[in-house]
Each structure stands twice: as structure tokens, then as C-alpha cells.
Amino acid sequence: MNRYFLTLAICVSTAVLTGCGDQKKSDATSADSTATILSSPETTSTIAIIGHLADLGLTPDSHWRGINLGDDFTKVKATEKGESFESDADHIGYTIEFKNLESADVLYYQTNSKVSAIDVDLFLNSRQSVSDYQKELGGYFTGRYGKSKPSVGGLVWTGRQGEQILLKDVSKGKDFGLKVRIGPADGTTSASAK
């Protein structure tokens, strides 16, 4: 009788311990799923807008300087401060001045009165400045859109609506700079071939 009782006790103990182990695995999986959601590209509130990102006027919830693809084109003029350096039926351009005589030209393109693409040319003074901006912009885009993919001379991120964000080093000799292009995946909206 003791042998049967001992066998039954061992079986019950094994079943209970196995069940507890499965529950712990389930809780761990649940915690991992939550962590994935919190760090997904859709979570933009954790992106710190400091340093060069603040100088550029970037925000955690827009494609560029408070403007998103698909916004009414009139929002560009309302949002951007200063005079445009170039304007026609297809686009409008603004210059952003930084310290150390660095600057950025931003061109907003439109199709059917909606922002359809954004091109940014950063004019920088040194290889170190290019590296610093590239590192900060790369982290910003990765935080917003997830992992990048290599592209011809740069990196590309894909947004939630299928838009593509290109970051490319366009330095030549002593002319240092970066190019940012935000637009549809096919790239047909932007007329810039810089």
C-alpha cells in the first residue's frame, strides 16, 4: 500500500511541478511580447529629440519638422518659419541655418495639394560633423521605423504606410554633406536628382 501511495505522490508532484514550469514559460513569453510591442517602430514617444535632431527641428511624430507626407501643402507654409528660397507649382524650399556656418535645404514636394515627398540636403563642415549627424539621424529613423536596409550609398527605412526614408552620405572631397529623402517607395514624386 505504501508503494502505491508513494507512486501516486510522485506522479502528482511531477504533474504540479510541470504545470508550474509551463506557467512560468507562459509568463516569460507574455513579458517578451510586451517588450516587443513597447520597442516597436510604432512607439515614437521614447525618441529623444536633442542635439542635432533638435537643431533640425525634428519631432517624434512627423516625417520632417512637423510635416507628414499626405498633409495639406498649405501646412508647410504655416509650419516653416522664414522665407522660402524657391517656390513653384510643384515644390517649395526653405533653408535652415546652424551654428558653425552649417545649413540644410529642405524641399517639400506636392501632388494634388498634398505633401508628396521631402528632400533634405545637409551642408556640413567636416567628416566628423557628417558622422555625428549620420549617427543621430540613423538612431532617430531606426527608433521611428525599425531596422534599416542598405541602399546604394546609404541606408533605407520603410514607414508604416510604405514610404521610404533614405539617408545617404553625399560628401565629395572637401564638400561634406548628407541627403535625406522621404517619399513613396517608387520615388516618382520627387524631382530632385541630387
Side-chain angles (χ1 to χ4, degrees), residues 100-118:
N100 301 329
L101 302 175
E102 295 181 328
S103 66
D105 285 349
V106 184
L107 295 172
Y108 297 95
Y109 291 88
Q110 71 167 327
T111 302
N112 299 323
S113 300
K114 301 286 186 190
V115 176
S116 56
I118 303 168

Side-chain angles (χ1 to χ4, degrees), residues 22-67:
D22 289 346
Q23 180 63 33
K24 286 180 184 176
K25 286 179 187 174
S26 175
D27 289 345
T29 303
S30 224
D32 290 347
S33 298
T34 303
T36 301
I37 291 168
L38 293 175
S39 65
S40 74
E42 275 127 61
T43 303
T44 58
S45 60
T46 59
I47 298 172
I49 307 295
I50 56 173
H52 295 304
L53 301 178
D55 293 343
L56 287 167
L58 300 185
T59 65
D61 56 357
S62 67
H63 284 111
W64 196 262
R65 296 176 55 82
I67 305 294

Side-chain angles (χ1 to χ4, degrees), residues 29-187:
T29 303
S30 224
D32 290 347
S33 298
T34 303
T36 301
I37 291 168
L38 293 175
S39 65
S40 74
E42 275 127 61
T43 303
T44 58
S45 60
T46 59
I47 298 172
I49 307 295
I50 56 173
H52 295 304
L53 301 178
D55 293 343
L56 287 167
L58 300 185
T59 65
D61 56 357
S62 67
H63 284 111
W64 196 262
R65 296 176 55 82
I67 305 294
N68 285 303
L69 298 184
D71 284 349
D72 286 331
F73 198 68
T74 55
K75 183 177 179 183
V76 173
K77 289 182 181 180
T79 303
E80 283 292 349
K81 309 298 183 236
E83 282 296 311
S84 65
F85 68 84
E86 167 177 314
S87 180
D88 65 21
D90 294 328
H91 71 281
I92 190 166
Y94 293 89
T95 297
I96 307 163
E97 299 286 337
F98 307 121
K99 59 184 176 182
N100 301 329
L101 302 175
E102 295 181 328
S103 66
D105 285 349
V106 184
L107 295 172
Y108 297 95
Y109 291 88
Q110 71 167 327
T111 302
N112 299 323
S113 300
K114 301 286 186 190
V115 176
S116 56
I118 303 168
D119 278 354
V120 182
D121 291 305
L122 290 164
F123 302 101
L124 305 171
N125 291 334
S126 66
R127 171 59 45 205
Q128 184 62 49
S129 189
V130 169
S131 296
D132 292 346
Y133 272 94
Q134 201 167 28
K135 180 179 177 182
E136 289 185 40
L137 284 167
Y140 170 78
F141 292 138
T142 298
R144 295 230 29 232
Y145 306 109
K147 194 172 182 179
S148 64
K149 295 181 182 174
S151 178
V152 177
L155 298 173
V156 173
W157 291 262
T158 302
R160 291 180 287 271
Q161 285 82 38
E163 71 276 21
Q164 288 191 334
I165 299 85
L166 168 71
L167 175 61
K168 183 177 182 178
D169 184 346
V170 292
S171 302
K172 292 181 183 173
K174 292 186 179 187
D175 293 328
F176 300 101
L178 291 171
K179 169 72 133 182
V180 176
R181 180 171 289 146
I182 303 167
D186 61 11

